[in-house]
Every structure is written in C-alpha cells, then in structure tokens.
Amino acid sequence: MLAVNTAAIGNMHSMQQHDSEQAVVTLSRDVKACLHAQQHDSHTSLICHAASVLSEPDAQCKADKTCIIAGLWNNRQLVPGSNDAVRLSERPGRDDTKVKVVAPGKVPGLGKGGSLASRQAVLHSLVHIESWAVDLSWDIIARFGCNSIYNLPDAFLDDFVQVAVDEAKHFQQLQHRLTAIGSHYGALPVHDGLWESAAATAHSLPARLAVESCVHEARGLDRLPHTIKRFQNAGDDESAQLLEKIYQEEIAHCAAGVRWLTWLHTQASLACLHGHPKPATCQQKVSLAQTAQASQDTPSSQDSTRCPNLELNSKCLSTAPVSTAAAGISDPVHAKGVLCDGQKESAAPRCIDNNCTEEAKNHDGKILDWQADAQQYGTVEEWFHALVRANFKGSLKPPFNEAARAAAGFGPQWYLPLAAEVIR
C-alpha cells in the first residue's frame, strides 16, 4: 500500500544486506523458533497467528512473522480458525520509542525528491506506510476472515495472506534502501492516519474493502509513478527501480478489494433470491442467473418486491490468488504471487466456494444487515459509492492512473461518480 504525495505533507531496524531485486524476506531465527512451536499447538490457527502479528510491537518482527505464517498457510499446515477466538486491541502493537508518532499536521513536508534529504523523507514515509500495510492485511484476516456473518471462502484468506507477504517484503526492501542512502526508519516523525482510517471501518468488511483496499490502494497507484519519475530525475535509479517493482505488485492489492467487494455483492444477490446467506457454488450461480433472467421475462411479484434493484452477476470469480509479485504481469487479478524465500507452492488450489469453517452458520435463514444494505443497489459500483460516502472523509481527486486502476479491475465507473464530491 503506497499512497504518498511527494509534493505535500505525507505519512513518514536495520536489515541484513540482500539483493533488492530478489523477493526475499529476512527471517529472524528467534521468530522461526517461536512460530515453529506455535505450529504444533492445537489451539493455533491462521486467525490466531494473524492476531499475534498485530500484537507484535517490533515492525521487523511483524515482517518476519508474516513470511513464516504465510509459508505454513500455503503449505496447508494451518487451519483457518475462528474470528471469535481472538480479541483485537484498538491499535496494533507499535514501539513508539523507536518511531515518533505525531499529529498529521506536525509531520514535515517531504519535498519533491530533488535533494537527498527529500528522497530520504519520501522513502521514510513509504517504509512507514508499508509497515502499517502489514498490520492492515492481518487485521482484515483476524477481524473478518472467518466471521460467519460473511461466510468467506478460504480464497479470501489466500489473497490477503499474499497481500501481507507483499507488504512485508516492500517494508524490508524500502527499509534497506533507506539505510543505503544514509537514513533509518525512525529518523523522522510519522503519523498514523492510515490506521485511523482503518479503525473507522472496523465494524464492516464491505466498508473496509471499499475504503482501504479500493480508495487508498488506488491512490497509491495514482501517485507512485510521479514519485518514481522524481527519483529518476534526481539520478537515484536504484530507488526508482525498486519503486517500479513495488508499483507493479501493488496493482494486485487494489484488485483484491474490487474482487471481494464484488463477491459480497453477488452473495447478497443470491441471498435475495434464496432468502439465505450461504454461498452458492459456481454451477448454482449460473443456474440462478438463468432463473433470474427467466424471471425478468415473466415477472414474479414476490421477487420484484424483494429485490427490485439487483442485477445478478453470473460470472464465477476466479480462484487464482490476486498478486503481481513478479514485475511485468499483465493480468494481476488472475496472476499467481511469488512466495517468500523457502516457501513451497500450495499442494492444490483452494476452491472459492469453501467455507472458512466446517459448519457455517446460516443465521436462521435471515437476510443479514450487510446483505440488506447491498441489496439496495443494482450494481456493486453503486454500492461502493454508498460505502465510500458513508465511511470516507475527503474527496477522490484526479489525476487518476486510469491504466493501473483498469488493470486492477477498478474502472472509471467505480470512482468518477465520486470525483466531483466532497465526501462527508
């Protein structure tokens, strides 16, 4: 997640030497031993491990743990678990003695990248953003990933585990580059605006996806090319090349938000037709779409009163992880991510229609609040507009990186209707 404006005020432990072109995350021996022990504890799960990352105060250890947990998950050595098994604090663990946190208005300006001090400030800001992005990735898993209200499949966990790995890798690579140009993480004050925005959507997965995974991730896609250009103009090609690689990978993070908000809207459509929230199989979705089309030809008074605005999307969502961890991937929505050093490929892909738990609750067949909300809107884009208006403060300002947004499946119909508005 990279959303920094180098022309204005922005969000502002050293690692061992490694080639920045390699997708390698440095692993702490102590963290390895700790997680290896936890792996054999019958009470641990992906959700519990996610909570352990969130409670970890050291940013480097967060990144270390992320890579190891992802390896266990991808190798089918962890069960999903339950969100009811963890209690999350209002703010993830942070060592504020190492990194000084101030109010947003107290953070120094970053400059335009022309001087060394300005480039250090920009990289410092990006390191901090990526550190928070690691926490945000685990928070969406720990808070919503196996919540029976949403009945999310394991593919949701796959996607956001991969996002967490990408963000941990970006944190370490940027921190390494910051050290190489004469500074370090903690040298400048920072603010926690990114987490404050996440805390405002802690009540709702659709709101979290709309604001964090779509709005903020897309903002990063808009701004990063300008940052890269400024580093190039200053002759800092090594930093520019690193940022270009990270930029390619960040497209998939926005795509994950689009993908799962669309999935939720489809589930709400199915709940409207069937009167229950349990996810249908791909074959059932196609059948339901055909039924819905037939209903349009021969209107049913019952159906038309229950969900008059909905347009059922019959296309089955891809089961492939959404990641562009290798630069040059042209289709990030269906690309497979690069694993951490030492990880193995998953034995078999998880089906998108699997539930997180063996017996998902059906809530007595009742339409859930989030489903009722989604059912008010005929398209996922219209629902997104409502979610942003209700949960985001500010405005969506051009210029937009239309090519990168389109590559993430985030076309102009998503954001242009909001561009002229000052929200809340």
Side-chain angles (χ1 to χ4, degrees):
M1 177 179 288
L2 295 175
V4 59
N5 188 340
T6 57
I9 292 177
N11 303 325
M12 309 285 259
H13 162 331
S14 170
M15 66 179 288
Q16 300 175 354
Q17 286 282 338
H18 71 85
D19 184 353
S20 63
E21 291 299 315
Q22 299 297 317
V24 176
V25 177
T26 305
L27 302 179
S28 161
R29 185 175 300 174
D30 292 339
V31 174
K32 281 184 178 180
C34 173
L35 287 177
H36 179 73
Q38 291 182 6
Q39 177 190 349
H40 298 288
D41 183 344
S42 61
H43 299 289
T44 61
S45 63
L46 179 65
I47 300 301
C48 289
H49 280 308
S52 76
V53 176
L54 291 168
S55 64
E56 171 58 56
D58 185 88
Q60 180 63 50
C61 287
K62 285 180 186 286
D64 290 346
K65 284 185 175 183
T66 292
C67 188
I68 299 168
I69 295 167
L72 296 175
W73 174 252
N74 289 331
N75 290 327
R76 305 297 189 267
Q77 293 176 273
L78 294 176
V79 296
S82 169
N83 295 111
D84 295 334
V86 298
R87 294 293 179 268
L88 302 178
S89 62
E90 292 184 1
R91 182 176 184 261
R94 289 272 147 174
D95 188 347
D96 293 333
T97 65
K98 291 184 178 180
V99 183
K100 183 180 179 180
V101 179
V102 299
K106 300 292 185 180
V107 177
L110 303 181
K112 297 184 178 181
S115 67
L116 176 61
S118 177
R119 292 195 300 278
Q120 289 173 337
V122 172
L123 287 181
H124 189 280
S125 176
L126 296 178
V127 170
H128 183 62
I129 291 171
E130 294 292 1
S131 175
W132 270 121
V134 173
D135 277 329
L136 288 172
S137 302
W138 288 116
D139 186 80
I140 199 170
I141 290 172
R143 193 174 301 276
F144 304 112
C146 286
N147 188 321
S148 59
I149 290 177
Y150 300 107
N151 266 343
L152 292 159
D154 284 0
F156 176 90
L157 302 177
D158 288 339
D159 280 355
F160 282 95
V161 167
Q162 183 61 51
V163 171
V165 169
D166 289 347
E167 307 293 24
K169 180 182 64 177
H170 298 166
F171 166 78
Q172 292 194 325
Q173 291 174 332
L174 287 165
Q175 182 181 228
H176 172 60
R177 184 58 191 159
L178 179 62
T179 302
I181 65 171
S183 188
H184 66 279
Y185 184 38
L188 297 169
V190 298
H191 70 72
D192 285 350
L194 192 58
W195 177 255
E196 292 169 4
S197 176
T201 58
H203 65 289
S204 164
L205 175 59
R208 175 66 63 86
L209 290 169
V211 174
E212 298 298 330
S213 298
C214 293
V215 171
H216 285 309
E217 291 286 5
R219 275 184 162 182
L221 297 178
D222 296 338
R223 294 172 176 174
L224 198 50
H226 301 289
T227 304
I228 294 170
K229 186 64 175 177
R230 286 170 174 162
F231 274 79
Q232 291 172 336
N233 291 340
D236 190 348
D237 291 336
E238 189 168 347
S239 294
Q241 289 169 8
L242 173 59
L243 292 174
E244 177 64 36
K245 188 172 185 294
I246 290 173
Y247 166 65
Q248 294 294 329
E249 296 173 359
E250 291 286 341
I251 294 172
H253 303 173
C254 181
V258 172
R259 177 187 183 186
W260 290 105
L261 191 61
T262 300
W263 186 89
L264 288 172
H265 190 265
T266 299
Q267 295 308 308
S269 305
L270 295 169
C272 186
L273 291 175
H274 270 255
H276 63 78
K278 186 176 180 181
T281 64
C282 287
Q283 184 176 1
Q284 287 173 326
K285 291 177 186 178
V286 173
S287 176
L288 285 168
Q290 293 170 343
T291 301
Q293 183 61 49
S295 297
Q296 291 176 6
D297 296 337
T298 307
S300 164
S301 58
Q302 181 180 6
D303 287 345
S304 63
T305 56
R306 289 183 61 195
C307 46
N309 298 322
L310 288 172
E311 296 176 5
L312 185 64
N313 182 359
S314 63
K315 293 183 179 179
C316 301
L317 293 168
S318 167
T319 60
V322 290
S323 178
T324 52
I329 297 293
S330 59
D331 185 6
V333 180
H334 302 94
K336 183 152 188 171
V338 172
L339 302 176
C340 287
D341 188 40
Q343 288 186 23
K344 298 178 181 179
E345 289 283 354
S346 299
R350 274 178 269 260
C351 177
I352 196 169
D353 294 309
N354 290 342
N355 294 325
C356 285
T357 54
E358 292 182 2
E359 295 183 3
K361 299 176 183 178
N362 63 9
H363 298 271
D364 299 323
K366 296 179 181 178
I367 297 296
L368 302 172
D369 288 345
W370 71 265
Q371 294 172 326
D373 182 56
Q375 288 169 8
Q376 299 179 62
Y377 305 98
T379 66
V380 65
E381 293 89 352
E382 292 172 354
W383 188 32
F384 169 76
H385 301 158
L387 290 167
V388 172
R389 291 183 182 115
N391 297 281
F392 180 73
K393 185 176 182 180
S395 60
L396 307 189
K397 299 178 181 179
F400 301 114
N401 186 341
E402 296 180 7
R405 285 171 174 248
F410 196 54
Q413 70 274 21
W414 288 77
Y415 54 87
L416 285 185
L418 297 172
E421 300 180 13
V422 177
I423 303 167
R424 289 206 298 169

